[in-house]
Amino acid sequence: MIKSILAAVSLFACSSASPLALSDKSAGTGPYPASWFTESSLPNFTFYMPTAPTDSQLPVVLFGEGGCENNGTRFEPFLTEIASHGFLVVANGPPNGTGKTNSQYQRDASAWVSARAGKPGRYAAVDASRMAAAGQSCGGLETYLQRDNPYVSYLGIFNSGFLPGGNASSNLPDGTTSEDPSTISQVHKPTFYFLGGPTDIAYANGERDYHALTGVPKWIGNFNVGHSGTYRQPNGGVFGVAAVQWLQWVLQKNATASLFFTAGGAQAANWTEVESDGLGSL
Ligand SMILES: *[C@@H]1O[C@H](CO)[C@@H](O)[C@H](O)[C@H]1NC(C)=O
Ligand SMILES: *[C@@H]1O[C@H](CO)[C@@H](O)[C@H](O)[C@H]1NC(C)=O
Ligand SMILES: *[C@@H]1O[C@H](CO)[C@@H](O)[C@H](O)[C@H]1NC(C)=O
Ligand SMILES: *[C@@H]1O[C@H](CO)[C@@H](O)[C@H](O)[C@H]1NC(C)=O
Ligand SMILES: *[C@@H]1O[C@H](CO)[C@@H](O)[C@H](O)[C@H]1NC(C)=O
Ligand SMILES: *[C@@H]1O[C@H](CO)[C@@H](O)[C@H](O)[C@H]1NC(C)=O
């Protein structure tokens, strides 16, 4: 138990204490230059979206930050990159918000977006029938809790995995909810894991969860940079590239992007310990 609490503490501390790189103000490398904004009727979130109207529909990504931080610009380069490929990303927390979020945030965001998608106005091109939840570290634990969110079809677990000894009734020191690893049996949505290799504090937990997950399409890969990934590198670095491929495939049905996962694309981009199962049904 002591060991698991220590692991929990370092999972959170590690992510919130990582050095802040200068946020690059790139509009992303995709075809739709993107930026973020806020909405007064959903004040605890940051929205990333193509800046100009698009000729294509925009699927939706709900994102939880590392440390469950309430700072929607914490992953700005990574989330701007995703949006520039034709997505609406709703990140937990307002820009520079303080304090912590929980799994209710992604649920609230999904309902708010669904009520506006496809209707005249800013979200006319948004397609809320195509929605994924994703999160890094503590945000991955929030993302696991979207397994019962009816709006969400896919889960993305970045540098995360259930914490040993956690359970739904016990709270981690920062007040966020953790669940026991056996909870993986309740996950019935296709799940993709993006880990940081053996030096990632979540490596063992994410690998364990991937192997325990059954009955759904799944993929796992490691890029050996540790727990903090490359999210704050220009355009989110290699994790940005991988996340875009994942979302282009599952939400935009882009067959070229699927090759990253099914035909050695990830390995060619130096992802290691790549495994998958059931991807043919996606
Ligand atoms: C926003 O978050 C704060 C806590 O950070 C909470 O007190 C407030 O109720 C939230 N606002 C809305 C509209 O959900
Ligand atoms: C939010 O994240 C950005 C990017 O990492 C950082 O520059 C900023 O200081 C953070 N804000 C707070 C209040 O932590
Ligand atoms: C967030 O805080 C950082 C300094 O920590 C500052 O550079 C940045 O402009 C702030 N962003 C917003 C949106 O307030
Ligand atoms: C689950 O939570 C309860 C209540 O906080 C606690 O008593 C119990 O030890 C926890 N179980 C595990 C395996 O951590
Ligand atoms: C499909 O994905 C590939 C790989 O990311 C990309 O080069 C291509 O532009 C995408 N096609 C469309 C129509 O978005
Ligand atoms: C993969 O690693 C090799 C050797 O370090 C390097 O030359 C190559 O540029 C890397 N490829 C990518 C896509 O990062």
Side-chain angles (χ1 to χ4, degrees), residues 39 53 67-68 70 77 89 99 103 116 124 146 194 215:
E39 285 277 9
C68 294
N70 185 41
V89 182
S103 63
R116 289 159 181 80
Q146 307 312 310
F194 304 85

Side-chain angles (χ1 to χ4, degrees), residues 1 165 167 169-170:
M1 189 60 193
N167 66 41
S169 62
S170 68

Side-chain angles (χ1 to χ4, degrees), residues 41-108:
S41 63
L42 195 72
N44 286 339
F45 296 84
T46 305
F47 293 68
Y48 296 80
M49 197 171 154
T51 308
T54 62
D55 52 7
S56 66
Q57 296 276 295
L58 307 177
V60 181
V61 183
L62 312 166
F63 189 77
E65 281 87 27
C68 294
E69 279 185 40
N70 185 41
N71 179 358
T73 42
R74 189 80 173 93
F75 284 66
E76 180 180 0
F78 176 71
L79 299 181
T80 305
E81 173 67 10
I82 290 172
S84 79
H85 289 272
F87 298 93
L88 168 64
V89 182
V90 187
N92 291 349
N96 277 350
T98 57
K100 298 291 178 182
T101 62
N102 57 50
S103 63
Q104 187 58 36
Y105 279 62
Q106 284 159 308
R107 278 191 281 275
D108 289 350

Side-chain angles (χ1 to χ4, degrees), residues 105-203:
Y105 279 62
Q106 284 159 308
R107 278 191 281 275
D108 289 350
S110 61
W112 189 96
V113 168
S114 293
R116 289 159 181 80
K119 304 202 171 132
R122 187 176 231 166
Y123 304 101
V126 171
D127 180 359
S129 73
R130 293 182 279 157
M131 201 179 291
Q136 195 255 353
S137 191
C138 186
L141 303 181
E142 296 177 323
T143 294
Y144 267 141
L145 280 151
Q146 307 312 310
R147 63 183 177 270
D148 296 326
N149 181 333
Y151 297 111
V152 170
S153 303
Y154 304 95
L155 304 179
I157 306 295
F158 291 80
N159 312 101
S160 190
F162 288 120
L163 295 164
N167 66 41
S169 62
S170 68
N171 284 331
L172 292 165
D174 67 356
T176 48
T177 301
S178 173
E179 300 182 290
D180 189 82
S182 63
T183 308
I184 197 72
S185 66
Q186 298 172 30
V187 175
H188 304 298
K189 294 177 178 174
T191 304
F192 283 56
Y193 293 84
F194 304 85
L195 305 181
T199 62
D200 181 347
I201 184 145
Y203 169 76

Side-chain angles (χ1 to χ4, degrees), residues 241-255:
V241 171
V244 165
Q245 302 292 309
W246 168 54
L247 294 163
Q248 284 181 317
W249 180 21
V250 299
L251 294 182
Q252 294 178 340
K253 301 302 171 200
N254 178 325

